[in-house]
Structures are given as structure tokens and as C-alpha cells.
Amino acid sequence: MINLAHDIAKQEFGKTFPNPSVGCIISKNSKIISKAVTSLSGRPHAEEIALSKAGPKAKGATMYVTLEPCFHSSKNGSCADQILRSGIKEIFISAPDPDIRTNKRSINKLKKNNVIVNVGIEKNKTYSLNKFFFKSLSKKQPFTKVKLAISNDEKIAWSDYKSKWISNKYSREYGHKLRSISQAILTTSKTIIKDNPKLTIRLKKNEIHIPIIIIDKDLKIPMNSKILKYISKKRIIIFTSKKNKKSVKLTNLGCEIIYCKINKFKKLNLKNIFKKIYSLKISDILVEAGGIFFTELLKNKLVDEVHLFKSKIIIGENGKPALWGKKIKELNLSLIMQKNFKDDKYFNYKVL
């Protein structure tokens, strides 16, 4: 049953931000009474939905849930209180909730009220699926993934930036899937100026808009950028040091402008920006930008994962490097997964 709970949680991953995707099963006499997953945008929780579906049948039943039920109050009381009111006699919990509002408090409360509590079954599945939640909560900054498409000689563009695509259409399609399981996309004004991307999710016939975060120190983003065309459909947050007529125009357009001081190196403080992003309840971001920005993120230890698409194309020494001053293989990375998209190779790395 706990594996089924994990399966349904995985199916909905990417739709419950900023909350983790949690699966819940309630069974009685070896039959499933109800099942549920965390609702869109995180509420209501999986346990609350499953209990509502089960109704009176929950009394004397067993619950299987992938993360510790919440202890903090909500509209109908905490999930722990709702479980107690329902008459659930036994519960299997994969992993404790690291949130200090709950952390093992619900487990202890359920035990004190004579519910049989089992903790730790398939806990690694919970950690693996919701790693953004566990990491962002501990670091107080968003879980950060960098997506890069590079040539065989580790370039991201020709010297004149006129290269449209380096990776093939199968790699690009997977790139859209990565967007679809991210809470927001982070980019730079330089990327917008050079590439003029939409940064939407284009899977099948749908075009989905998710929040966009732009690092733009001098507020150089063109007002006719494609990214601003659909401002009514998405949230756009711009971090800048400039407060001028353009910032007023962007605010009137619907952008959120956050002003930052520049440091002694005449740059924005990326660590402070990432703390601010987290305070905006954004705990998972996909970075789509250039090699200089990728290098800066690595220097500031702000990268958790790298999604690398490598083609057979050779650009040459005049091309724009994916990483300044180093080769990818020189980074402290651990391979999570590798696959091929026709002639392209895909690598998913954890940054150590």
C-alpha cells in the first residue's frame, strides 16, 4: 500500500508547489477505501482528502502516507487531529516532516492517543521525490536546477549567438518536461536579449505559463520581449538595482520589481536574492541562462542539480563556453541518471 501511495504522489509531482507531493491510502480488511494526493497549490493535504472520501468507513482502518501528517492548524484542524477524530487505528508514515511546525510532533501525538504508528517504510522514495522540499527547508533557499544544452566541445552558442538550437527536438521536449515539474524558471536579462525566449511549457498542444524570475542588474530587458507579452498569464519577478522610468513601466505592466544593492564587485548579491526568492514561497527553480551566470551560481554554491544535454555538434574555440575557467568533468558532481535522446546524450547530476 505504501508503494501505491508513492506512485500516486509521483504522478502529481510538480502540481503541489510550494508543498511536497504526498500520497495517502486508507484501507480496511485489505481493501482500499480511499486514496488521495496533495491538492493543487498544496491544499488541502492528501490525508484530509482521503479522510473526506472515506467518511465513517475510516474508523478502525489503516492509513498509509508518504510524509508525516501536519501538526499545524488548517481550516479543519491539523491532519493529525483529523486522523484522531476519524478513528484510524494504525498508520504507516514513510518519513517525518522536517518542517519545525510538525517535525515528529504529529507522530508523537498519534502514539499518545493509541494510534499504532510505523515510521520509515520506503522513506528514500519520499526524500527522492520531494528533495526540493527537504533541501529548500534546510537551506532556506530554493532547490536549484540548471538546464544546459551544450556542444560536444562544451559550448552553449556560436561567438555571434546566432545558433538557434544545439540540442535536438527530443532533448528540447524533455527540457519542457523539466519545466513542467519546476515551480519557476530563473533567467537573466542577457539571455532574454540574446535569445528572446518565451520560457513557456509546450507539451502536446498546450502552452503553459509558470512564474519567471529575471536577474537584471541594470534593467536592460527590452519592453518588446516575448517574455513580457503574456504578463497577464504568469508571474514575473525582476531583481534589479535600477529604479527609473522603465521600472515604473514594468510595474504598471504587472511585473514585480525587487530592488537590490550592488556589492563591491558591482554585482547583485546572488545569495541574498536566493534567500528572497525562498521568502516569496518559491522553493524550486529551473535556471535557463548562459555560462557566465552558471559559473557565478557554482561559485556561490547555489546549484543543487545539473541537467545537461550534450550534442555531437562541434562549435570550436570561438564559441561561448558552458562554464568559464573549467570543464564540466572538473566539477564535483555525482551522476543521478543518464540517457540518450537520439544522437544527444543527457546527464542528470547532483552537485556535491
Side-chain angles (χ1 to χ4, degrees):
M1 291 292 184
I2 198 69
N3 285 324
L4 178 57
H6 280 289
D7 288 344
I8 62 173
K10 188 174 182 179
Q11 289 170 15
E12 296 302 305
F13 182 78
K15 301 176 184 178
T16 65
F17 293 123
N19 284 12
S21 182
V22 176
C24 181
I25 304 288
I26 299 176
S27 72
K28 197 172 187 178
N29 300 324
S30 300
K31 291 184 178 180
I32 294 174
I33 297 173
S34 68
K35 56 184 178 180
V37 68
T38 310
S39 187
L40 299 182
S41 302
R43 290 283 184 171
H45 290 170
E47 303 94 313
E48 184 171 353
I49 300 171
L51 287 169
S52 177
K53 287 181 178 179
K57 293 180 182 179
K59 188 173 182 179
T62 300
M63 176 180 282
Y64 301 83
V65 65
T66 59
L67 187 69
E68 179 182 4
C70 73
F71 188 85
H72 44 285
S73 61
S74 61
K75 184 178 178 181
N76 296 313
S78 70
C79 285
D81 286 337
Q82 291 181 59
I83 290 166
L84 290 175
R85 289 200 303 268
S86 73
I88 290 283
K89 71 172 184 178
E90 186 172 11
I91 184 168
F92 289 82
I93 301 168
S94 284
D97 188 339
D99 190 327
I100 57 172
R101 295 174 298 173
T102 291
N103 189 240
K104 297 184 181 178
R105 297 171 77 187
S106 289
I107 290 170
N108 292 332
K109 185 170 187 175
L110 293 170
K111 286 180 178 178
K112 286 178 182 177
N113 285 274
N114 301 316
V115 176
I116 302 168
V117 180
N118 310 274
V119 182
I121 300 173
E122 299 290 355
K123 63 182 178 181
N124 287 338
K125 288 188 176 182
T126 294
Y127 295 140
S128 178
L129 179 64
N130 291 299
K131 51 194 168 186
F132 84 91
F133 174 70
F134 291 91
K135 273 218 167 183
S136 64
L137 201 57
S138 66
K139 295 166 67 175
K140 305 303 178 190
Q141 65 188 39
F143 183 80
T144 303
K145 304 160 291 187
V146 172
K147 179 170 78 71
L148 282 175
I150 67 172
S151 63
N152 198 49
D153 53 347
E154 298 194 4
K155 309 295 181 184
I156 58 168
W158 275 260
S159 58
D160 58 5
Y161 286 100
K162 289 186 177 179
S163 51
K164 179 63 177 173
W165 305 116
I166 290 177
S167 58
N168 63 34
K169 67 176 184 178
Y170 305 102
S171 292
R172 297 197 298 274
E173 186 175 297
Y174 192 76
H176 282 276
K177 288 182 180 178
L178 290 176
R179 288 179 183 177
S180 74
I181 55 172
S182 302
Q183 189 179 359
I185 297 171
L186 185 146
T187 191
T188 64
S189 55
K190 184 176 180 180
T191 297
I192 293 170
I193 292 165
K194 296 295 183 185
D195 298 341
N196 196 19
K198 285 185 179 180
L199 294 183
T200 54
I201 301 167
R202 298 184 293 280
L203 293 171
K204 297 180 180 179
K205 294 182 179 180
N206 297 321
E207 187 167 23
I208 301 167
H209 300 265
I210 64 173
I212 305 294
I213 304 165
I214 304 167
I215 308 296
D216 189 359
K217 179 172 74 76
D218 296 315
L219 214 57
K220 292 182 177 179
I221 180 174
M223 293 300 295
N224 62 351
S225 301
K226 289 179 182 177
I227 214 163
L228 297 176
K229 189 176 180 181
Y230 303 96
I231 183 68
S232 62
K233 296 183 179 182
K234 61 175 174 281
R235 183 183 187 186
I236 294 180
I237 303 164
I238 301 174
F239 286 90
T240 186
S241 64
K242 299 293 182 181
K243 191 171 186 178
N244 50 30
K245 290 181 180 179
K246 192 172 189 179
S247 63
V248 174
K249 286 182 180 179
L250 287 165
T251 300
N252 291 337
L253 195 63
C255 298
E256 298 172 43
I257 309 294
I258 299 177
Y259 300 102
C260 309
K261 293 180 180 179
I262 55 175
N263 59 25
K264 62 182 180 181
F265 303 107
K266 296 185 178 181
K267 295 179 179 180
L268 298 178
N269 188 312
L270 290 177
K271 287 185 178 179
N272 288 345
I273 286 175
F274 273 55
K275 297 290 184 187
K276 180 62 179 179
I277 292 171
Y278 181 74
S279 75
L280 298 173
K281 297 188 182 300
I282 297 174
S283 52
D284 179 280
I285 57 176
L286 180 67
V287 178
E288 299 195 34
I292 294 175
F293 189 65
F294 179 34
T295 305
E296 283 294 312
L297 290 178
L298 287 169
K299 282 182 181 177
N300 283 276
K301 298 183 178 180
L302 292 170
V303 183
D304 294 293
E305 277 189 12
V306 177
H307 294 268
L308 188 70
F309 299 88
K310 192 172 187 178
S311 76
K312 286 187 173 182
I313 294 171
I314 301 291
I315 290 180
E317 61 181 24
N318 291 327
K320 301 298 180 181
L323 187 63
W324 288 75
K326 284 186 178 181
K327 292 291 185 182
I328 299 292
K329 66 181 181 181
E330 295 173 337
L331 299 177
N332 196 11
L333 305 174
S334 174
L335 184 65
I336 298 171
M337 179 176 65
Q338 177 180 347
K339 63 169 71 176
N340 294 334
F341 292 106
K342 295 289 185 179
D343 291 335
D344 288 357
K345 292 183 178 180
Y346 164 74
F347 306 90
N348 178 202
Y349 296 107
K350 175 183 177 181
V351 179
L352 301 175

